[in-house]
Amino acid sequence: GQQLNQSPQSMFIQEGEDVSMNCTSSSIFNTWLWYKQEPGEGPVLLIALYKAGELTSNGRLTAQFGITRKDSFLNISASIPSDVGIYFCAGYDTNKLIFGTGTLLAVQP
Amino acid sequence: GAVVSQHPSRVICKSGTSVKIECRSLDFQATTMFWYRQFPKQSLMLMATSNEGSKATYEQGVEKDKFLINHASLTLSTLTVTSAHPEDSSFYICSARRTGMPQHFGDGTRLSIL
């Protein structure tokens, strides 16, 4: 089946720094989603991307759908402590949502 | 606010017990509901997909007799872990989707089998 690989696996940054994380796929996706999961909770949708090349922002978050439709990135600007969590990319394989391997973000005040 | 409600949030029970987890879409009718399992420090793994009124479709390696899924209405799906054993301990997460919309997830159920 399709696999989504995220990099980096984890990031430890200082408050105020910008963050960039990447997601790549072995095959084409028509939709890319970015979720954040905090400990003991379910994933929360951050940004949805539907067209190749699309660049979408949600507050301090910006995500882009790669032109090849095999990758996407998520940027977080001016990080704050509450940005801590695991960030997952996800894409639809027919009707099934497949999750990436995740990027753990830790922000030190 | 939450659009998908999952209950209970935590279950601790003895080995051999059957456990039922409910998943409700609160303000929309879900054409499809999904059940995921997540082990510590790992990603979410899809267990099964269910459409209202029809049998669930299970992913490879997931025992359908072990994990019973009922999707009786457009707003409710249940997952029953039958005769649970310690290796079934995990974080179970449901999600719901309406056609053309992204999936929304419940807050998960932490299942611990002693």
Side-chain angles (χ1 to χ4, degrees):
Chain A
Q2 301 200 40
Q3 292 184 335
L4 298 177
N5 294 308
Q6 288 184 243
S7 62
Q9 188 174 16
S10 60
M11 304 178 73
F12 299 88
I13 63 171
Q14 293 287 122
E15 182 177 2
E17 289 185 29
D18 297 341
V19 171
S20 184
M21 58 190 78
N22 195 50
C23 181
T24 58
S25 168
S26 56
S27 52
I28 289 173
F29 279 92
N30 292 317
T31 302
W32 284 93
L33 306 172
W34 282 94
Y35 287 87
K36 177 187 177 186
Q37 185 181 29
E38 298 187 20
E41 298 183 9
V44 174
L45 181 65
L46 299 174
I47 292 180
L49 302 162
Y50 299 103
K51 296 181 181 179
E54 180 181 352
L55 183 71
T56 297
S57 293
N58 178 8
R60 293 180 295 107
L61 279 60
T62 301
Q64 183 158 31
F65 192 151
I67 287 291
T68 65
R69 291 192 286 161
K70 290 185 177 182
D71 65 309
S72 175
F73 71 74
L74 174 70
N75 289 340
I76 305 174
S77 62
S79 60
I80 59 178
S82 61
D83 290 334
V84 164
I86 303 177
Y87 291 79
F88 290 103
C89 63
Y92 280 105
D93 177 2
T94 58
N95 193 38
K96 298 185 294 185
L97 187 62
I98 308 300
F99 279 80
T101 49
T103 294
L104 170 66
L105 177 64
V107 180
Q108 185 169 1
Chain B
V3 295
V4 176
S5 173
Q6 192 171 335
H7 178 80
S9 58
R10 186 176 184 102
V11 179
I12 302 173
C13 58
K14 294 181 179 180
S15 183
T17 306
S18 291
V19 178
K20 180 184 283 188
I21 303 170
E22 289 189 352
C23 179
R24 295 180 183 272
S25 58
L26 298 181
D27 56 4
F28 67 100
Q29 293 187 323
T31 48
T32 311
M33 286 187 169
F34 305 84
W35 288 95
Y36 291 80
R37 182 167 53 185
Q38 185 178 32
F39 291 107
K41 298 184 180 180
Q42 294 189 20
S43 187
L44 285 76
M45 299 301 296
L46 181 64
M47 298 175 66
T49 302
S50 75
N51 294 295
E52 183 262 342
S54 61
K55 290 184 178 180
T57 302
Y58 290 81
E59 294 301 300
Q60 191 172 10
V62 178
E63 301 174 55
K64 62 180 181 180
D65 295 329
K66 175 75 171 176
F67 300 99
L68 300 178
I69 292 173
N70 182 276
H71 194 162
S73 75
L74 285 171
T75 59
L76 174 64
S77 177
T78 61
L79 167 68
T80 301
V81 184
T82 61
S83 186
H85 289 93
E87 59 267 27
D88 297 322
S89 299
S90 188
F91 193 50
Y92 292 86
I93 310 173
C94 74
S95 73
R97 184 188 185 196
R98 190 174 63 197
T99 303
M101 303 294 290
Q103 283 176 230
H104 292 278
F105 287 79
D107 278 340
T109 297
R110 174 73 61 192
L111 177 61
S112 301
I113 308 298
L114 305 176

